[in-house]
Amino acid sequence: MLAFISRRVLATIPVMGVVAIVIFLLLRLTPGDPAAIIAGDSATEAQIMQIRARLGLDQPIYIQFFSWIWRLLQGDLGISIISNIPVSTMIAQRLEPTLALATTTIIFAVFVAVPLGVIAAWRQGTLTDRGIMIFCVMGFSVPVFVMGYLWIYGISINLRWLPVQGYRPIANGFGPFFERLILPTLTLSVIYIALIARITRASMLEILDEDYIRTARAKGLTETRVLLVHALRNAAVPIVTIIGIGVALLISGVVVTESVFNLPGLGRLTVDAVLARDYPVIQGVILIFAFLYVLVNLAIDLSYTILDPRIRY
Amino acid sequence: MTFKRILMGACAAAALSAPMLVASAPASAESVLRVVMHSSLRVLDPIMTTAYMSRNHGYMIYDTLLAMDEKQVVKPQMAESWKVSDDGLTYTFTLRDGLMWHDGTPVTAEDCIASIKRWGQRDGMGQKLMQFTKEMTALDAKSFTLVLKEPYGLVLESLGKPSSNTPFMVPKKLAETPPSEPMPEQIGSGPFKWVKEGFQPGLKAVYAKNTDYKPRSEAPSWASGGKVVKVDKVEWVTMPDHMTAANALINGEIDFVENPPTDLLPIYEADSNLEMRITNKLGSQVMMRPNHLHPPFNNPKVLEALSYAVSQKDVMVGMVGDNPKYYQTCTSYFICGTTYGTQAGSEGKMVGDIATAKKMLAASGYDGTKVVIMHPTDVATLSSHPPIVAQAMRQAGFNVELQAMDWQTLVGRRAKQDPVDAGGWNMFITTWVGADLINPVANLGINGSGKKGGWFGWYENAEMEKLRDSFARETDPAKQKAIVEQISKLGWSTIPNLPLGQFFAVSVFPKSLKGVLDGPAPYFWNIEKTKG
């Protein structure tokens, strides 16, 4: 196991290297000039050239690349060329809201979706099953921003129970922190509930046809025990996989939800940086995303060994 | 049973936590004005960039030597007074008592000289002023002279320039930073202090009241007069979604939305607690900029045909809806309603006269060359015009290709002087705050220097430059106006750009917010949060 983990951790190095090269080249091929953005609308070409020279953007691409890689190897993600603030500081400012939203969303989604999927499989073909599947289809189909506006209109504007927007760090108290996460969590989790519930249902249906389930029922076990202990555990591998993918997607940014609820997450940072052609920020954020993806995948792989003892690395 | 227990447990937890959440309103006595600006603040140096957000930031923490009032008259601001010598060549400025930088050091004449020099390297009006300036000398800690080589009519207008780049005063140690580099610190002498720890680019900028600031005694008017701060803090909050800003304002979570899009105005209008006001009475101009380097717009006759084809009214209605409160047609290069707001030479143009445009285009020798219009689709205020203009041009006989892109791609591409086939362009459309265009020296759109320092599109016209120069040298207001008439006529026959109309952005805030000032930029002094 330790050898497997070590191999996987070491494998992140070439992955990060490839990501670094691809993202660097991709950004340089994208039209747009950060110097022109900094200079403003009425700047002349000479003024833009001066800024370009200061930023080193007039240097050959390979020099820019090696200079970035050299700093990266020393743990320095660089400085935003637009706001002149270290990229690591900017990412740190955005990490907490992203992790908070990802955590609440995935926890809520799992707590709702897994029982829904189990019930739908257990009651296959009944009205309950169809009702849950209709909910899942709607969950996939209704755009996130529509869902967000509906929650805001109902809960914040009409009932005035919760704030419309914003984020408060957990350091400011759990109440203000949590109340601003409720609506984004409800909004965002719908799609994940739909996804996880469908996978759970499909996976459970497969297991419920197995001989050992029939045997468990024949032994006289309660239906709850059959479903949760015998069926769900064996159906867990694909469910955990989809949850892991969900976590990775949530961490890498949910721009629409962040925009609708004005959450200062990594998704908005990425979009803002792309629109402003803030190369060091985009590069830094993508590298962090790649690293987190690798970690999440590793965690998923390791969880398989706990859920299914037959799996060994 | 297990499911039931879990479900009941979850419901109980939710029920217990709900009152705690609802009751968790902040209990702070601090008066904080929360504002949603039109964009986020990114560049903190208002001299290095002409971005309006950086200018607005400048007005918060810096002050100006002179400032323009709502009648467009230049008034002293940091200056107590000024004197002009009989020959009109020497201006002596004396600073007010009690001016302090935010780090506690006094403002000196040397600081002001260094600030003017830095601004003079960057700003168009500043560069012109510096061309005419022989020297600037500090007489003592509080006064300095600006000596001209020859008479120049725009000394005060330049130093009182209300919009980008505004000549903000900074400490000498910061003013010595090259204008292509950002100043390393945010130290001003203005009514607010920069809260460095509160700055989150793309999210939030925080300003605290400068308790040491000594406001002037006069009533505030635009950026002149007494800058009395009546709140403890101002927070600029970035909200990428306009609907969220509307909901947050209605819900009382924020206090001011600078420029909501016009399609959301009915939502604000429906709330009787809100006030909607056009604070920038000069408005903004939409400007269509052709590239004069390449066919077909290197042919003045084609440009003239274009000026007949396009209808300002169509463009304005497409942008803000058919509500005359929010727009006016105006063919002045220098903004209607200002001192130089002449429309001379534009008779019959910009009204969508397709028949005349067709005839003129046929007579111009236009050979069907493709016209590439860059269409920024990500900026609401800029995305509506290109399709309307393109349609009018097609009706007149132009072969038009609209190329969709984001604004930053456009900004990068418009700097290219290459032909269209090699990545160049033929036309783009942008907007300018009216205050940036109000005289021939400030107005970059009519700069006729071509490739030698002209603005993108590289309009080149020696006669225009001669007239702009004469305007700058002229000190008699009546003669200045006569020169502007000539400039306008020359402009409408050579088409450096085409004004597509003047629009007026609305700011929205609760009626309980008192003292919101008018001006070409948003100002946050004088504003008070009241209970009713």
Side-chain angles (χ1 to χ4, degrees), chain B residues 287 289 333 432 437 442-448 455 459 496-497:
Chain B
M287 179 192 283
R289 183 70 169 179
Y333 285 115
W432 293 84
L437 306 175
N443 190 322
L444 276 181
I446 58 155
N447 183 322
W455 198 56
Y459 167 72
N497 63 74

Side-chain angles (χ1 to χ4, degrees), chain A residues 145 149 256 259-261, chain B residues 238-247 264:
Chain A
F145 73 93
Y149 288 146
V256 176
S259 298
V260 168
F261 292 100
Chain B
T238 305
M239 286 196 195
D241 186 272
H242 291 294
M243 193 65 229
T244 305
N247 287 328
L264 289 186

Side-chain angles (χ1 to χ4, degrees), chain A residues 67-81:
Chain A
S67 132
W68 174 59
I69 287 289
W70 178 243
R71 284 200 306 270
L72 201 60
L73 289 172
Q74 298 167 63
D76 179 6
L77 289 174
I79 290 175
S80 160
I81 53 183

Side-chain angles (χ1 to χ4, degrees), chain A residues 36-43 45 47 54 82 94 149 156 160 163-165 179 182 260 262 264 275 277, chain B residues 21 24 48-50 122 180-181 201 203 238-239 241 244 251 253 406 408-409 414 417 430 432 444 455-456:
Chain A
I37 294 161
I38 292 170
D41 207 27
S42 51
E45 213 181 339
Q47 289 162 345
R54 178 180 67 79
I82 304 290
R94 309 295 189 107
Y149 288 146
S156 301
R160 295 193 177 252
V164 168
Q165 53 81 43
E179 71 178 354
I182 293 176
V260 168
N262 192 31
L275 289 176
R277 306 295 190 271
Chain B
L21 299 177
S24 62
M48 188 175 84
T49 181
T50 58
R122 183 70 182 80
S180 60
E181 287 177 24
L203 298 178
T238 305
M239 286 196 195
D241 186 272
T244 305
N251 220 29
E253 293 170 34
D406 69 330
Q408 306 306 354
T409 299
R414 74 178 177 186
Q417 297 183 350
T430 188
W432 293 84
L444 276 181
W455 198 56
F456 310 104

Side-chain angles (χ1 to χ4, degrees), chain A residues 151-207:
Chain A
W151 282 118
I152 288 171
Y153 182 73
I155 305 290
S156 301
I157 303 289
N158 277 348
L159 298 173
R160 295 193 177 252
W161 283 357
L162 292 169
V164 168
Q165 53 81 43
Y167 178 78
R168 291 280 183 280
I170 198 163
N172 292 7
F174 185 73
F177 163 78
F178 192 57
E179 71 178 354
R180 283 170 175 79
L181 280 177
I182 293 176
L183 293 187
T185 301
L186 289 176
T187 303
L188 195 55
S189 58
V190 170
I191 194 161
Y192 290 96
I193 289 171
L195 186 68
I196 298 168
R198 283 181 72 96
I199 297 290
T200 307
R201 179 182 178 273
S203 189
M204 285 289 287
L205 283 177
E206 217 171 281
I207 300 293

Side-chain angles (χ1 to χ4, degrees), chain A residues 88-131:
Chain A
S88 51
T89 305
M90 294 176 79
I91 292 175
Q93 286 173 346
R94 309 295 189 107
L95 208 53
E96 187 192 307
T98 295
L99 291 179
L101 181 61
T103 307
T104 53
T105 301
I106 215 71
I107 289 175
F108 182 71
V110 168
F111 269 90
V112 175
V114 173
L116 280 181
V118 171
I119 292 169
W122 180 43
R123 297 287 185 207
Q124 188 196 6
T126 64
L127 268 180
T128 310
D129 178 25
R130 288 187 200 290

